[in-house]
Amino acid sequence: MPAKKAVAAPKKPAAAKAAAQPTVTLKHLAAELAKNHDLPKSQAEAVLGDLVALTTKHLKKGDKIRLTGLGILQVRKRAARMGRNPATGAAIKIKASKKVAFRPSKELKEAV
């Protein structure tokens, strides 16, 4: 007698996609600010745009930015190091660089 083959249950990829979180953009934040503070959307977008520009300017200068209740943004230097090309396995030299680091505040950590 031939053995019966087990039938695998079909996978449901749609459930995984439904769990994905939406992305909130500056436009979304500006719209909420405008609604909460009775401002025109264009003015709220301009304020957030200026915030991004000022943040960039100060980080370029090397300043540390403390946003109370949110955290600290600062530029950190990464030293040159040796790495590996994943395709060939050959050793390569990675040059020194700078990166923006974010350290969340205690309030943010507890809220999340």
Side-chain angles (χ1 to χ4, degrees), residues 9-92:
K11 294 182 181 179
K12 297 181 182 178
K17 289 181 182 177
Q21 294 294 321
T23 302
V24 179
T25 65
L26 279 178
K27 285 202 178 273
H28 294 119
L29 294 175
E32 279 191 54
L33 282 173
K35 185 176 75 172
N36 294 342
H37 296 282
D38 296 326
L39 295 171
K41 282 185 185 178
S42 59
Q43 189 176 5
E45 287 178 14
V47 169
L48 286 177
D50 286 347
L51 176 67
V52 171
L54 284 171
T55 301
T56 304
K57 177 181 129 184
H58 284 286
L59 287 173
K60 277 185 178 180
K61 289 194 320 186
D63 296 339
K64 188 186 297 189
I65 300 173
R66 182 184 309 270
L67 301 169
T68 306
L70 193 62
I72 298 172
L73 287 165
Q74 71 184 70
V75 176
R76 292 200 180 137
K77 294 177 182 169
R78 293 196 65 172
R81 62 195 190 280
M82 294 302 290
R84 292 219 173 264
N85 180 340
T88 64
I92 57 172

Side-chain angles (χ1 to χ4, degrees), residues 67-72 102-111:
L67 301 169
T68 306
L70 193 62
I72 298 172
F102 175 73
R103 188 171 65 214
S105 68
K106 184 178 178 182
E107 295 90 357
L108 181 62
K109 285 182 191 176
E110 290 172 355

